Amino acid sequence: MRISQTRLLTCLLGLLAGVVLAAPVRAGDPHVLVLGRISDDPKAHYEQLKPLLDYVVPRMADVGITEGRILMARDLQQMGSYLRRGRVDWVTETSANAMRLQDRAGAQPLLLTERNGARDYRTLIFVRRDSGLASLDDLPGHSVAFQNTSSTSAYVVPAMQLLQHRLPLQILLSPMDRPDQRSVGYVFARSERNIATWVHKRLVDAGTISNLDWDDPQRIPPSYRKDFRIIGQSRAYPRALEMVRGDLDDRIQARLREVLLQAGGDPDAREALLQFFRTTRFLPIDPATDAALRELRGGVKRVRTEVE
């Protein structure tokens, strides 16, 4: 079979990209800053991470950093191992996963990440207006759709809320399955749009979503939203965090924090921040944020113990 030169070149570049992404990272090299990411699409995430890493590294020469590398993990467990072994120095994560990495791998919060101008969000629990459900206390014997286990606003936080209301959670085989009359059944819908559709089509009784996604017509179509009613709302929690491994050199940690804080006001960083999951700036972790994270950390542990 004859293969065109263009196609052959594309294949070769793809293989080379795979080699670069999979290149080993030596633990403990004091001159290399390693940025990590949990990813199911390494190539796409590499392209999102690399511009910011390229911005940061030259500004850390005064603490001995001369090179930056990216290391992908397939899941939370692998990232935890990388952090414990010193193979990753810095990782960007949702706040719930950040708290999991703090508990499992000793990672420490460095900065709050503001994305698309929003530093935090709330969880909303919603039902159909004609469902007869008026509050969380009405949910026993009914079903709720979460997004996936990595979602802060559409899994961890609403699961916390239900447990705080003394409502036991029971996993369902499918949206058609039903829980016992004392429990709230749950299923994973994988996307915000699916959650909205399942509630609207009466496949499940309730859905969970962030207030930011609630206002996004791509996730909650206006024709659906007019039929919905919110019956529960959480406090605000950070959208995302920059975390560092617990034993990262104090000088490197302090300089990384300084560079990232300054990036939000630097025109040279604008495009790199945009690529970095549409980040607008990094912010210090103030007392209110710290309190929210401590509460979230406790909730993550409870969900892991009582639900998972």
Side-chain angles (χ1 to χ4, degrees):
M1 182 181 295
R2 300 179 65 183
I3 302 175
S4 70
Q5 290 185 343
T6 301
R7 186 177 177 186
L8 180 61
L9 180 59
T10 300
C11 292
L12 289 172
L13 289 174
L15 289 171
L16 288 172
V19 171
V20 171
L21 293 175
V25 178
R26 186 174 61 189
D29 189 332
H31 304 296
V32 179
L33 181 70
V34 182
L35 172 57
R37 172 74 183 181
I38 298 171
S39 175
D40 57 2
D41 190 349
K43 186 176 185 300
H45 285 147
Y46 181 88
E47 292 169 355
Q48 290 175 288
L49 299 173
K50 189 64 162 55
L52 185 62
L53 187 62
D54 288 344
Y55 171 85
V56 167
V57 166
R59 291 163 175 79
M60 297 188 64
D62 56 338
V63 292
I65 296 298
T66 59
E67 184 180 349
R69 296 181 194 164
I70 293 169
L71 183 60
M72 303 292 182
R74 63 178 174 270
D75 52 33
L76 198 70
Q77 289 72 28
Q78 188 173 45
M79 181 57 72
S81 175
Y82 287 162
L83 288 163
R84 287 190 298 271
R85 293 158 56 197
R87 295 190 68 189
V88 165
D89 302 309
W90 161 32
V91 60
T92 183
E93 259 303 342
T94 61
S95 52
N97 272 353
M99 295 300 95
R100 288 171 172 137
L101 290 173
Q102 185 170 26
D103 281 338
R104 300 180 187 184
Q108 295 300 315
L110 182 72
L111 291 168
L112 177 67
T113 313
E114 182 183 272
R115 294 179 178 171
N116 283 326
R119 56 181 291 170
D120 52 34
Y121 52 15
R122 300 174 183 272
T123 286
L124 306 179
I125 300 178
F126 64 96
V127 298
R128 284 188 61 98
R129 291 185 181 276
D130 58 6
S131 67
L133 302 172
S135 73
L136 298 186
D137 295 329
D138 294 328
L139 288 178
H142 294 85
S143 57
V144 60
F146 297 138
Q147 183 182 359
N148 57 57
T149 56
S150 294
S151 175
T152 301
S153 60
Y155 170 57
V156 174
V157 172
M160 286 169 50
Q161 284 184 277
L162 295 172
L163 293 175
Q164 288 165 357
H165 275 73
R166 300 183 180 179
L167 300 175
L169 289 165
Q170 185 179 97
I171 192 165
L172 302 178
L173 296 175
S174 75
M176 309 308 294
D177 194 12
R178 306 305 297 176
D180 63 52
Q181 291 303 306
R182 299 179 300 103
S183 304
V184 179
Y186 69 93
V187 289
F188 293 107
R190 299 182 303 279
S191 72
E192 297 90 351
R193 184 63 178 261
N194 281 349
I195 292 171
T197 300
W198 288 10
V199 175
H200 198 259
K201 302 299 183 186
R202 297 184 174 87
L203 295 178
V204 294
D205 301 305
T208 60
I209 202 164
S210 77
N211 63 302
L212 302 177
D213 291 327
W214 176 264
D215 294 327
D216 184 342
Q218 296 300 315
R219 290 175 167 82
I220 304 284
S223 60
Y224 284 10
R225 191 166 57 231
K226 65 181 178 61
D227 295 328
F228 293 157
R229 175 173 59 197
I230 295 169
I231 63 169
Q233 179 173 276
S234 76
R235 68 171 292 175
Y237 291 98
R239 288 192 70 187
L241 294 168
E242 304 309 308
M243 304 288 288
V244 293
R245 60 183 171 90
D247 58 353
L248 184 63
D249 184 286
D250 289 342
R251 296 179 310 117
I252 294 175
Q253 185 175 156
R255 182 58 180 152
L256 176 60
R257 185 177 186 275
E258 183 180 21
V259 171
L260 293 178
L261 283 172
Q262 293 173 350
D266 185 354
D268 291 339
R270 186 172 295 119
E271 186 60 31
L273 291 175
L274 183 65
Q275 292 292 322
F276 195 73
F277 312 104
R278 305 191 71 83
T279 296
T280 41
R281 58 177 175 163
F282 301 99
L283 297 163
I285 296 174
D286 57 23
T289 300
D290 185 60
L293 289 175
R294 281 188 276 110
E295 182 179 309
L296 181 61
R297 187 179 182 188
V300 166
K301 291 179 181 178
R302 186 175 182 186
V303 169
R304 184 180 184 186
T305 300
E306 299 184 32
V307 181
E308 300 173 354

